Amino acid sequence: MPGIARSSEYLPALRGKHVAVVINQTSEWKGVSLLDKLIEEKIDVRTVFVPEHGFRGTADAGAHIDNATDAKTGLPVVSLYGKNKKPSREQMQGIDVVVYDLQDVGVRFYTYISTLQYVMEACAESGVFLMVLDRPNPNAHLIDGPVLDTSLRSFVGMQPVPVLYGMTCGEYAMMLRGEGWIPNAGKLFMQVIPCENYTHKTRYALPVSPSPNLKSMTAIYLYPGLCLFEGTEVSVGRGTDKPFEQWGHPGFKAKSRYHFEPKGRQGAQHPLWEDKKCYGQLVAANTEEAYEMTKGGLDLKPLLTAYNWSEDKQHFFNDFFDKLAGNRELKEQIQQGISEEEIRKSWVENLDRFRTIREVYLLYKD
């Protein structure tokens, strides 16, 4: 049961207050949006902040989201993406409480935790109370991958955590404040409304797609490994019915008979290799297979296979890869032909250090 379902725990604290919400299409319980619920309860909501992909979750990754007015409620909708990733002092003016309720997928480069950090910073600066309605993390059973080298900080990686960090957004927020990883951390007043009947090993199927190209639980389980392809010349199937379930490239025709053809569509207006046949692999036949394939951690096999297939290794990676990986070593290790086992060994020391930090802030059993 996610935090939003436990309304008796948060509604009393919101009555008589001026409230802003950080929400999108996932911020619902049994089909009812948090925004609609708060308005029905006569809570004075003043502003709707929305993350990457917009209020309805239909915009492309990286697409500019304009501020707007919600047609149903007449409330101002303020994008926290593009040039305005952090609520300004002006936007926070007159707000007493910010309620954050976004469904995350537990992967460092999925940008909702970056939005969470900026909202925390804005609340600390403006003396605004932050309430996090916690939600299960579908990848919470995993802690794996390179820990971010903070010299590579960006919106797809802001803190020294691994690709898979095994925490809910509520636990992550507590860590950001507790470790002093945000400015003015000591000035932030915050409350997490925890999930009920949940542990990090609980299998949780997301009732609503968190973004336009994570259409299935299969994609959500495969995403941590396949998203690294976004730092290469290989397509992950954006512009098809199976984004983040497959990978391919026009130059791999001699290597595979499996292929797909990306087409422009909502959520992928101009996908990589648009209208060209991409040859590669369907990574998993179904959700259960994807879960089994990835329960050991970050799966590098697709990336290593594609690199070995590439006939133009000099141009295989682009400038985005190191930011996604969180270090400069992974690309070099792949280029040097180092085995997956050896690559994974290079992560162990930093992962152990992170586990020690993480343990302090857990609300749920592993």
Side-chain angles (χ1 to χ4, degrees):
M1 185 179 286
I4 186 177
R6 305 181 64 205
S7 54
S8 63
E9 297 294 316
Y10 61 86
L11 284 178
L14 302 181
R15 298 197 188 282
K17 302 291 196 299
H18 298 160
V19 176
V21 292
V22 185
I23 58 172
N24 64 7
Q25 79 286 353
T26 67
S27 312
E28 56 102 80
W29 175 243
K30 296 185 175 179
V32 178
S33 163
L34 176 64
L35 179 60
D36 293 341
K37 179 174 180 57
L38 293 182
I39 288 171
E40 183 183 326
E41 292 285 344
K42 304 292 192 292
I43 301 300
D44 185 6
V45 181
R46 297 293 180 96
T47 303
V48 178
F49 291 114
V50 298
E52 183 177 7
H53 307 296
F55 191 19
R56 305 298 174 191
T58 55
D60 288 16
H64 174 74
I65 307 294
D66 290 321
N67 294 339
T69 301
D70 180 44
K72 185 173 181 180
T73 62
L75 288 170
V77 177
V78 178
S79 171
L80 297 182
Y81 194 65
K83 292 181 180 178
N84 186 57
K85 291 183 175 70
K86 176 179 170 179
S88 66
R89 283 189 179 274
E90 184 181 6
Q91 290 162 348
M92 296 292 281
Q93 200 167 358
I95 301 297
D96 301 313
V97 184
V98 172
V99 181
Y100 177 98
D101 181 26
L102 296 175
Q103 177 61 63
D104 218 301
V105 297
V107 183
R108 186 187 64 223
F109 33 68
Y110 201 67
T111 61
Y112 296 170
I113 55 169
S114 297
T115 294
L116 172 60
Q117 175 171 334
Y118 280 131
V119 169
M120 291 175 72
E121 290 180 12
C123 286
E125 287 173 9
S126 299
V128 173
F129 187 82
L130 174 66
M131 185 176 284
V132 178
L133 304 187
D134 213 5
R135 287 183 175 267
N137 167 5
N139 286 306
H141 55 296
L142 300 171
I143 304 165
D144 202 26
V147 170
L148 180 80
D149 172 349
T150 53
S151 70
L152 288 166
R153 274 197 171 111
S154 73
F155 198 55
V156 295
M158 296 178 71
Q159 296 299 344
V161 303
V163 172
L164 288 151
Y165 50 86
M167 305 175 85
T168 64
C169 57
E171 292 171 321
Y172 188 85
M174 290 167 59
M175 181 174 67
L176 290 184
R177 183 179 65 169
E179 293 299 308
W181 286 353
I182 59 166
N184 304 303
K187 295 181 179 178
L188 176 63
F189 293 96
M190 181 182 81
Q191 181 183 7
V192 176
I193 307 298
C195 306
E196 277 191 341
N197 309 318
Y198 175 70
T199 74
H200 290 134
K201 286 188 168 60
T202 304
R203 289 281 294 271
Y204 180 70
L206 272 56
V208 179
S209 295
S211 55
N213 287 289
L214 288 182
K215 298 175 182 292
S216 67
M217 288 307 299
T218 302
I220 287 165
Y221 291 137
L222 297 176
Y223 173 76
L226 293 191
C227 189
L228 293 171
F229 277 121
E230 303 273 67
T232 75
E233 62 173 4
V234 176
S235 168
V236 289
R238 289 182 186 272
T240 74
D241 292 335
K242 294 184 182 297
F244 293 102
E245 297 183 32
Q246 58 191 347
W247 58 268
H249 184 278
F252 295 164
K253 187 174 182 178
K255 302 290 185 179
S256 174
R257 296 178 66 182
Y258 179 82
H259 66 270
F260 56 86
E261 191 171 329
K263 300 282 185 182
R265 59 174 68 192
Q266 187 177 52
Q269 296 296 327
H270 298 289
L272 181 64
W273 303 119
E274 185 175 4
D275 299 328
K276 290 183 169 58
K277 283 188 178 179
C278 293
Y279 296 84
Q281 292 182 352
L282 180 70
V283 181
N286 53 52
T287 298
E288 200 57 37
E289 185 179 343
Y291 180 80
E292 289 297 319
M293 288 173 67
T294 58
K295 69 180 183 181
L298 185 64
D299 185 10
L300 293 177
K301 291 180 185 66
L303 182 64
L304 295 174
T305 300
Y307 183 76
N308 288 334
W309 285 6
S310 175
E311 294 182 0
D312 186 12
K313 291 180 171 55
Q314 187 177 348
H315 297 106
F316 182 83
F317 296 104
N318 62 40
D319 293 342
F320 194 40
F321 185 83
D322 289 349
K323 288 182 179 179
L324 288 170
N327 69 17
R328 295 176 178 84
E329 288 74 41
L330 181 57
K331 178 170 67 180
E332 294 169 0
Q333 290 167 327
I334 294 169
Q335 289 170 331
Q336 291 165 13
I338 294 173
S339 69
E340 181 177 10
E341 184 182 5
E342 288 301 311
I343 291 172
R344 299 183 69 83
K345 282 181 182 175
S346 72
W347 303 338
V348 170
E349 186 178 335
N350 285 337
L351 284 173
D352 287 345
R353 192 177 299 120
F354 171 73
R355 283 190 180 92
T356 301
I357 295 170
R358 168 186 177 271
E359 192 172 356
V360 177
Y361 303 102
L362 299 186
L363 296 169
Y364 317 99
K365 290 181 180 179
D366 278 337

